[in-house]
Amino acid sequence: MKKVLALALTAALALSLTGCLNQAPAQGGGSSTPASNNSSASQSGGSSTPAPGPDGAPAITSTEKVNMIWSHNAAVTTAGHRAAEKFKEAMEKYSGGNITVTLYANGELGTVPENDQALREGTIQIGSGTTGGLVDPSLSYFDCPNLVDSNEQAKAMMDRSGDLYQYTEGVYENIGMKMLSIVPAGFRETTSNKAVHNYEELSGLKIRTLENPIAIAYWQAWGCNPTPVTFSELYIALQQGLVEAQENAYDTTVASKLHEQQKYVINTHHVIMWSGMYMNLDFYNGLPADYQELINWVVAEIYEPFLYEESIKANDAALQTMKDAGLEVIDFTPEDYAKMREAAKPAYDLIRQTVGDEPMELIAQAQAAAAG
């Protein structure tokens, strides 16, 4: 079935790009001129800038029909998917129907690594999800544990005008992706069938973690027994006792009903969830300039603010759902977080070995600035 879908998606991509490619020679004056060089002024037949579109959106003068396939692994009930629906709605509205977006959720088109590979190859055009070492080892600096104390600090760290954000744009370009957005979407928190009241009681915890050497390193540094389990198999792993704990954002935990197999919520605040949105770089570069401008505008003005606020609301609601289901909530203290950060130094060393000094220095600078 996945092979059939892949063939269908490839055909859809070819059709979506046909208009852009066929327009390039006439507008650029030569067969080698890419569509991305088309300016709004040249398409409107004059040197003046077209008036803005409705609601301040960029003016659209291109007429190519483009379909973008967006695949992700979150449930349709999550803030991430609702934000994707907002993007789809806005793109189709402000492009006058010239741009359409087809959404696939719940890993319908493949696992996280499969979707990332399809995005790089251009079989799909848009992807989203947690950024970091799972996307590419060069992004492992997003896996730093106990980096910030709040969503607000994380948001300040990834300000679009900052050096860290701009450096990250370059990292994504090197792996064939156009980074459109990175938004903090809450902390990864721990749920467990074993009560853990403080840092010391983490010792011996049998926890499912990401298939990521950085995550495994910091859980081991905290004295736990981390076990990588595919997310699709996590519910059964908890049910059968293969692991006794797991760690995800509240919203993800509840959307996947993992809390049904747990007794405690432990607010470890150990890693911020960075929700990334990215596009195949060649696809983005091949779009007309006004389409690129519209994508950037919709992301910055509609998608990103919506995702940030909805993630906070969704996580608050999910925590309440777990409380209502009878799970006991245990809060760590600032002293516990400090101990976690100190003990996680081997993980930081591993990250530095993986990504080099520059991003780690940028992380430290952005962290200091965000903390005030």
Side-chain angles (χ1 to χ4, degrees), residues 70 72 74-87 103 128-129 183-186 249-252 255 275 302-318:
W70 184 340
H72 65 80
V76 295
T77 56
T78 60
H81 184 74
R82 293 197 300 276
E85 290 177 323
K86 278 284 185 181
F87 176 84
L103 298 175
S128 59
V183 178
Y250 298 142
D251 186 26
T252 304
S275 182
I302 297 174
Y303 169 85
E304 203 167 87
F306 180 86
L307 177 58
Y308 180 75
E309 295 297 333
E310 283 298 300
S311 294
I312 293 173
K313 293 177 184 177
N315 282 316
D316 288 345

Side-chain angles (χ1 to χ4, degrees), residues 34 64 111 150 362:
E64 291 91 340
T111 63
S150 66
L362 292 175

